[in-house]
Amino acid sequence: MITDVVVAGGGPNGLMLACELSLAGARPVVLERLIEPSEEPKANGLLGQVVRMLDHRGLHERLSGSPHPPRPNSGYFMFGAMGLDLSLLEASPVFALPVPQRHIVQVLQERAVELGVEIRRGHELAGLSQDDDGVTIDVTGPGGAYQLRARYLVGADGAHSTTRKLSGIAFPGVTYDRMTVLSAHATVPAEWVDPATGALNVPGHGAVFPFLPHRTEHGGFSYAPLPGHPPLISTTEWDTPATDAPMSLEELRASIRRVLGVDVPLDPPDGAGPHVLRRLTGGNTRIAERFTDGRVFLIGDAAHVYAATGGGPGLNLGLQDAVNLGWKLAAEIRGSAPTGLLDSYETERRSAAERMVLNAQAQSALIAPGSDVTGLRKVFTELLSDRSTVQRLADLLAGADVRYDMGEPEAHPLTGRFAPDMDLDTPAGPVRLAELTRNARPLLLDLTEEASLADTPALRHDQVDVVTARSRIPTTPTALLLRPDGYVAWASASPRPGPAEIEALRTALQRWFGAITPART
């Protein structure tokens, strides 16, 4: 074998997967058709659970430029261009990280290089064939065509995935062709911006708050003054005449006039750019027929796309695909994976994709034009005063409602969910739980009386790190078994777990990390 894994696609998802594989001891090679990372403005940030997941790998500080851990949004947010008051919640699950996609690629590429990942830019997947032992991959590069041999191939090559097409995997779903979205960086009158709230006060219409989609009977409008960039102005309309003419600010001005009923002056953006000036017509919501085909796997947009209307782009979903697959694939390569571990990738991530599609479809329905939708929104507004409704929608937006089946019918409420962050006192000093997961290894956190689990020889597993600590909040669980992707495989609330709980822990250790082999002392 020339390499363990070939990753087709060097965008954020492919680079994240390469980092995860390398942390787990596998040897990935990344193929990226672009010679240089794209400067085209794409995603403007990350939202939800993925922000905390990046913190688990020490990447939040690099991406945010701040030494502080992620902080939840506990104020005003939106769902379907409707206000979502997160202050009603005891703990908001909505985390946001406003950072452009090109910076995400830069940080992940730097991290991949630090970990020894080989990135081949200007190289593109052209063909593949697989057998029982591996995958033979045809590649075209600057020096011509050649072949690679790998144990596995992962397609992280976007919505038009060559990997998916070559594998014969269908991509069923729905194409929407009624919606047109116009977006541009532009300069707006400075006197229209409220210095206290940041809202754009549009004469004849009213205040439009930043980053919150604004819906009228005729379409949608948004104003996003991203830090360090000119404001990004967008409109959404339905059933507008098709055109092949280049996108222009005048086209956007005319669209704003139709949507808001008033004129908004737009001047060209300041600065060198690159600047957004684009028209997108229609969209797709699709989930691949299967995420795996023998030794071939799909992640990110290669596996699922959806017509997003706010609440988190597909990048959030794809990065979590990468972290879910990475440790499982590496365990299979090491020969330590228990039976069925790789199969759990599709089971778990398909359910997450289906939830995200539900999120997008619900929001699309709520921003559509028409008086009937307006009536629906009025009813929905009444529901949004209820804390339980806000909690449910906030969890849906953040992906915090995803709970994996860990095989324990009467499990602790945290089992199957992403681990909460915790402030801990350890023998080495104070630490956050997220800081204990930077090496991407399974972790048994023992907060029990007298470290009763850490001192149990039958629970020592050579694949699992054990940390004893004291929590600064006594109401937290007394023990957690974390998978490398940050999800809780087992948890206890007992000060000293009894035989039944210890047996459940042994079962979880074997289910996710293989037969227990005593750790070296």
Side-chain angles (χ1 to χ4, degrees), residues 263-287:
D263 289 311
V264 174
L266 299 179
D267 290 323
D270 298 325
H275 294 132
V276 171
L277 186 63
R278 64 172 174 244
R279 178 196 308 116
L280 298 176
T281 301
N284 289 279
T285 294
R286 299 179 180 277
I287 299 179

Side-chain angles (χ1 to χ4, degrees), residues 279-338:
R279 178 196 308 116
L280 298 176
T281 301
N284 289 279
T285 294
R286 299 179 180 277
I287 299 179
E289 181 182 51
R290 57 189 185 279
F291 291 4
T292 65
D293 181 66
R295 291 178 172 267
V296 177
F297 293 80
L298 302 176
I299 66 171
D301 287 354
H304 40 68
V305 295
Y306 59 98
T309 57
L315 185 54
N316 300 295
L317 199 60
L319 288 171
Q320 293 181 82
D321 289 347
V323 176
N324 186 285
L325 178 61
W327 69 276
K328 297 174 181 177
L329 203 54
E332 191 72 25
I333 290 167
R334 286 195 309 268
S336 62

